[in-house]
Amino acid sequence: MRSKVVCNCRLGSKCRTGVFISVPLRSTFCVGTSYILAVKVSYIVAVIMVDYKVQGSFAILEVNNPPVNALSHAVRSGLNDGIEKASRDRNVKAVIVCGKGATFPAGADIREFSKPKKEPWLPEIGHKMEKCEKPVIAAIHGTCLGGGLEIALFCHYRIALKTARVGFPEVQLGLLPGAAGTQRLPRVAGLQVAMDMISSGRHVLATEAKKYGIIDELCLKAVKASVDFPYEKGLEMETEFFKQLLGSGQSKAQQYAFFAERTIARWEMPNGNYRTAVAKPVKSTAVIGAGTMGSGIVVCLLSAGIPVYLMEQNEKFLNNGLKMIKSIMEGSVKLGKVSPEVGRKAATLLKPTMNYNDLKDVDLIPVLVKTCRGFLANRMHGPFGTEGTFLVEEGALPSQVDRVMEDFGLPIGPFKVRDLSGVDIAYKIKQEVAKLLGIKTTLQTRFMNGERYCALNDRLFHLGRLGRKTGKGYYKYEKAGGKIATEDSDVTDIIEKHCKELGIQRRQISSQEIVERMMYSCINEGFKILEDGIAVRPEDIDVCYLYGFSFPRYLGGPMFYANQIGLQRVYERICYYHENFPYSPHWVPSRLLRKLAAKSVPMNEWMAYATGSKL
Ligand SMILES: CCCCCCC[C@H](O)CC(=O)SCCNC(=O)CCNC(=O)[C@H](O)C(C)(C)COP(=O)([O-])OP(=O)([O-])OC[C@H]1O[C@@H](n2cnc3c(N)ncnc32)[C@H](O)[C@@H]1OP(=O)([O-])[O-]
C-alpha cells in the first residue's frame, strides 16, 4: 500500500518516509513536510473553491470564489469532482449548483485567459452535469453571466431569484460564449432572443429570462445533444471560434479595458484613498455657457435630478440653449433614456440666469473651458487636434482625416468634433495663448513662439464658419444647428487658397500617415504625462480615453494600443516625425518611451521606469 502513495514533498516518488498525511486537493505529504504544511495549509485549503455538502437527499455544490465566483481552474475542478461524487453517492437524489455570497458564477475567470489552459474545461463539466442521472438544478441569484449561464444551461432545471440577472457579456471582451452557450441558448430561448443576448451582451432580469425559457422553474428541460441541428458539430465550431477570438488583439484589449476600469478605481492620494474618501453631497450646480457642450452637461445633471443654473451673458444664446436642452430632454424621454417623471421634473430644476450673483452658493461648477496646456485628456488631445490641422494644411482634406480616424475606430472624426464644439472655441483658445505670449497672429502667421502655427481654423472663424451652430464650418449642414455633415467644396477652396497664399505645396497623404500622426503624437504626450506623474499608471490614461473620447474599446486605449503596436516601432516613428517636423514640440520623443522601447519593458512594469533614476 505504502508504495502506491505519491508524496508531494521535494523528494517526490523517491520519498521513503513512510508516514503520510493527506490534505484536501488529493495531495499527500510525508510528516517530514509538516512544517511546510503548517505554513502552507491555509493556502491549500483556501483554493478549495466549491463546497460540497449533503443536506437530506440533495448534494449542494456551492461555488465559493469571492467576489464574483468566477469559474477559475480550482472552481472547475471542484465542480467536476462534486458532480462525480454526487453521481456516486447513493443517498443523493438530486444536485443543486449555486454560488456563495453575492452571486451565482459571473463567468469564466478572465485573468486565466492569458495563462496556459488547464483541464477540466467548462464544456466537459457541463456535459458531465447534463449526463448525470440525478436531476441537476442551478439555483441562481446575483449575476449569472457567461460561463456561469452556460453551466446553468447544462443543468436540468434552473430556478432564480426575481432580482437575478443573466447574460452573455463575452462580446464586451471581444469573445463569444465558448462553453456551448451559442448552441444551447437558441434551443432554450429561440434564435432571436439568443442572437440579441449574445450580440448585445446585455444582462436580462430573471423575470424576463423566464419568459424566454432560459430560467426554467417547473419543467425538466434537459437539452438533448441530438436535436435537428448537429449539436456536436456546433460545439466543435463554437470552441474553434472561441479560441480564435481569445487569441485576437481585440479580445486582449477588451479584457485589458475591463481590468483597467477596475484598477483606476483604486486611487491613492497623499491625504486619502478610494477606501477613505466620502462623496460630498451636491445640491446645486451651475453651468456657464449655453452652447452645445454646456447644454449637454445641463441635460446630464437634470437627468440625475440635480438642480442647475444655466448662465449666459447673451440672451439670444441663453434662449437657444434652453430650446436645445428642452429638445434633448424630450428626445431622451421618447427614447426611454429617462423616465417621463424625470423629464417633467427637469423643467423645475433648471434655472436660466444672466447674473453671476445667482451662482454664489452653488456646490459645483463644471469647468468647460480648456485650460492652457490641459491636464491629462486635453493635454494629450492637443497634439491630436493640431496634427489634424497640419495634415489638412499639407494636403489632406478634413473629410479624409475624419474618414480615416472613423475607420480606425473613433465614433466621430476630429473635424466633425470641431464643428460640434465650435470653430470659435478653438480660435479663442489660440487667441488666449497668443495674448499671454504678447503675440498678434494674422492669417499669414506660420510660427508662434518658435512653434509651427496653422491659421486655417482662423480663416474659417473670420468667414463666420463656426460649425454646426451656424450651419457651416469644416462641413456644411442642412441648417444652423443641423447635424448632417456634408462635404463642402467651399472648404476645399478655402484650404487651397490658404496654401497658395503661404506657398505651401500640397501632397497626397496616406491613411497610414494620418493614423500615425494623429495617434503617435498623442501617445508620445501620454508617455510624458506618465513621466510628469500626472497619471500614475497607463490605465488612467486609457480609461480617460475610453470614456472621454469614446476611444474604441477593442483597441484598449492609446497606451495599450501603443503597447500592441510595439514601443520600439512607435518610438522610431515618433523620432521620424520629430526629424521631419522639428518645429512641433509634441514630436520631441518622450524619455520614458525611449527607455521602455530600448528595453522592451512589459506594460505592467512601465511605471517602475517612469520617475527617478531609471528614467
Ligand atoms: C473550450 C473553451 C472553453 C472556454 C470557456 C468560455 C466560458 C465563457 O463563455 C467565457 C466567459 O465566461 S467570459 C466572462 C464573462 N463574464 C463577464 O464578463 C462578467 C464580468 N464581470 C462583471 O460584469 C462584473 O464584475 C459583475 C457584474 C459580475 C459584478 O460587478 P461589481 O459587483 O460591480 O464588481 P466588480 O467591481 O466589477 O468586480 C469585482 C472584482 O471581481 C473581478 N471580476 C469580475 N468578474 C471577473 C471575471 N469574470 N474574472 C475575473 N475577475 C473578475 C473584478 O476585476 C474585481 O476585481 P478587483 O480586484 O476587486 O478589482
Side-chain angles (χ1 to χ4, degrees):
M1 284 295 282
R2 206 176 276 172
S3 61
K4 283 192 185 161
V5 175
V6 178
C7 182
N8 273 324
C9 81
R10 266 170 297 173
L11 295 173
S13 57
K14 292 192 185 131
C15 177
R16 296 282 176 264
T17 310
V19 184
F20 299 98
I21 45 173
S22 284
V23 294
L25 285 184
R26 298 206 207 113
S27 291
T28 311
F29 290 85
C30 67
V31 285
T33 325
S34 60
Y35 70 96
I36 303 173
L37 284 174
V39 182
K40 286 199 175 163
V41 88
S42 59
Y43 167 73
I44 291 168
V45 170
V47 294
I48 301 238
M49 287 178 178
V50 178
D51 299 334
Y52 183 93
K53 296 180 258 195
V54 177
Q55 275 180 16
S57 50
F58 286 97
I60 302 171
L61 307 188
E62 190 178 42
V63 178
N64 182 7
N65 182 17
V68 301
N69 287 324
L71 295 156
S72 63
H73 176 247
V75 171
R76 297 198 305 277
S77 301
L79 285 173
N80 190 56
D81 293 354
I83 196 75
E84 282 179 2
K85 197 166 167 186
S87 302
R88 285 195 306 267
D89 188 339
R90 285 186 185 184
N91 296 323
V92 169
K93 302 285 179 250
V95 186
I96 297 176
V97 181
C98 59
K100 191 171 185 150
T103 184
F104 195 82
D109 188 335
I110 305 166
R111 288 180 207 276
E112 286 185 357
F113 285 166
S114 49
K115 298 181 187 158
K117 308 288 165 282
K118 281 207 230 163
E119 291 186 342
W121 290 38
L122 271 189
E124 188 185 325
I125 302 164
H127 285 125
K128 228 172 239 181
M129 286 178 170
E130 187 184 29
K131 287 192 185 126
C132 178
E133 285 173 1
K134 301 165 186 181
V136 183
I137 304 148
I140 300 169
H141 77 297
T143 38
C144 166
L145 305 174
L149 179 54
E150 287 171 311
I151 283 290
L153 287 169
F154 275 110
C155 291
H156 304 129
Y157 293 96
R158 290 161 287 279
I159 55 170
L161 289 186
K162 275 187 181 163
T163 49
R165 284 179 299 147
V166 300
F168 279 124
E170 282 84 345
V171 65
Q172 282 149 15
L173 299 168
L175 295 170
L176 52 72
T182 65
Q183 300 303 302
R184 304 184 84 94
L185 186 62
R187 288 175 164 79
V188 176
L191 201 59
Q192 206 179 344
V193 170
M195 279 299 285
D196 167 49
M197 285 182 64
I198 291 170
S199 62
S200 71
R202 74 189 176 92
H203 299 180
V204 173
L205 260 179
T207 41
E208 186 186 345
K210 188 182 169 200
K211 252 191 343 215
Y212 298 152
I214 305 162
I215 310 294
D216 188 354
E217 267 178 289
L218 298 171
C219 56
L220 182 71
K221 185 110 181 161
V223 181
K224 292 182 187 148
S226 54
V227 276
D228 303 345
F229 188 81
Y231 175 75
E232 301 298 342
K233 178 72 187 157
L235 203 58
E236 211 177 90
M237 282 161 62
E238 183 197 70
T239 306
E240 182 52 33
F241 293 149
F242 184 84
K243 283 182 184 165
Q244 268 179 30
L245 286 173
L246 195 59
S248 71
Q250 173 168 341
S251 173
K252 288 196 176 87
Q254 288 178 230
Q255 290 168 41
Y256 161 83
F258 176 85
F259 289 116
E261 284 166 346
R262 283 149 183 89
T263 303
I264 62 142
R266 290 191 288 264
W267 54 270
E268 299 278 344
M269 301 279 271
N271 54 354
N273 60 39
Y274 69 99
R275 279 185 224 95
T276 55
V278 184
K280 282 192 179 168
V282 176
K283 294 202 187 91
S284 63
T285 58
V287 171
I288 301 173
T292 314
M293 207 190 289
S295 302
I297 293 177
V298 168
V299 168
C300 290
L301 292 166
L302 295 175
S303 303
I306 299 171
V308 49
Y309 281 99
L310 176 62
M311 165 79 201
E312 251 301 347
Q313 288 170 320
N314 175 310
E315 194 173 353
K316 190 176 151 211
F317 286 172
L318 182 62
N319 288 332
N320 284 348
L322 289 172
K323 260 193 233 158
M324 196 174 347
I325 291 164
K326 188 164 177 272
S327 130
I328 302 176
M329 279 311 292
E330 283 170 0
S332 300
V333 172
K334 261 192 211 149
L335 291 171
K337 287 186 186 166
V338 297
S339 68
E341 197 198 334
V342 169
R344 271 193 301 275
K345 212 173 151 205
T348 62
L349 296 174
L350 178 60
K351 295 168 199 145
T353 178
M354 289 174 57
N355 185 352
Y356 272 107
N357 276 338
D358 287 341
L359 315 188
K360 63 182 189 306
D361 293 325
V362 300
D363 299 319
L364 179 80
I365 305 181
V367 178
L368 304 187
V369 187
K370 187 170 168 178
T371 50
C372 211
R373 253 198 102 199
F375 184 64
L376 191 161
N378 278 348
R379 173 170 162 188
M380 247 176 104
H381 227 50
F384 178 90
T386 308
E387 277 302 308
T389 320
F390 289 168
L391 283 160
V392 169
E393 191 175 50
E394 289 166 37
L397 287 176
S399 54
Q400 183 195 354
V401 176
D402 279 357
R403 198 177 47 250
V404 170
M405 294 316 292
E406 285 165 14
D407 287 350
F408 173 78
L410 298 186
I412 170 169
F415 288 100
K416 287 189 192 141
V417 171
R418 204 172 290 177
D419 273 356
L420 179 66
S421 59
V423 169
D424 50 329
I425 303 291
Y427 173 79
K428 281 177 188 154
I429 292 167
K430 289 255 174 178
Q431 289 308 302
E432 279 301 313
V433 176
K435 207 162 127 193
L436 281 174
L437 295 168
I439 295 170
K440 212 168 158 38
T441 61
T442 68
L443 294 185
Q444 272 66 43
T445 302
R446 296 206 62 191
F447 291 93
M448 184 155 75
N449 205 29
E451 295 177 15
R452 179 174 171 187
Y453 182 86
C454 173
L456 246 177
N457 195 75
D458 307 11
R459 277 182 194 263
L460 294 184
F461 171 81
H462 290 302
L463 290 167
R465 301 190 70 111
L466 305 189
R468 278 193 190 185
K469 58 189 162 197
T470 55
K472 52 189 184 171
Y474 284 91
Y475 292 86
K476 63 181 173 197
Y477 297 84
E478 72 279 17
K479 57 175 186 195
K483 289 181 184 164
I484 305 164
T486 319
E487 278 183 55
D488 188 350
S489 57
D490 287 357
V491 174
T492 313
D493 293 344
I494 295 166
I495 296 166
E496 282 171 357
K497 182 168 182 251
H498 168 87
C499 293
K500 207 166 168 195
E501 275 181 26
L502 299 179
I504 298 169
Q505 190 70 39
R506 290 175 65 72
R507 62 184 171 92
Q508 286 282 337
I509 296 193
S510 70
S511 301
Q512 184 189 336
E513 180 174 348
I514 293 175
V515 171
E516 284 188 353
R517 285 178 59 184
M518 303 293 282
M519 287 315 305
Y520 293 2
S521 57
C522 76
I523 286 167
N524 194 32
E525 199 64 35
F527 280 102
K528 291 178 190 172
I529 285 170
L530 292 178
E531 257 171 62
D532 293 350
I534 300 286
V536 289
R537 56 210 148 191
E539 285 89 344
D540 294 338
I541 296 176
D542 284 338
V543 174
C544 263
Y545 262 73
L546 292 177
Y547 285 85
F549 300 110
S550 298
F551 193 85
R553 209 175 163 80
Y554 58 79
L555 295 177
M559 307 310 278
F560 184 84
Y561 170 70
N563 192 52
Q564 292 290 80
I565 299 283
L567 297 192
Q568 186 61 39
R569 156 97 191 154
V570 174
Y571 178 70
E572 279 166 14
R573 297 303 289 161
I574 288 173
C575 291
Y576 168 82
Y577 290 120
H578 178 44
E579 249 175 68
N580 283 277
F581 304 110
Y583 299 108
S584 299
H586 53 252
W587 285 122
V588 175
S590 143
R591 286 180 301 151
L592 173 62
L593 174 59
R594 187 189 62 215
K595 191 89 179 179
L596 298 175
K599 296 196 165 205
S600 302
V601 180
M603 195 168 177
N604 59 0
E605 290 172 26
W606 285 2
M607 295 320 289
Y609 293 77
T611 49
S613 56
K614 283 194 171 181
L615 191 62

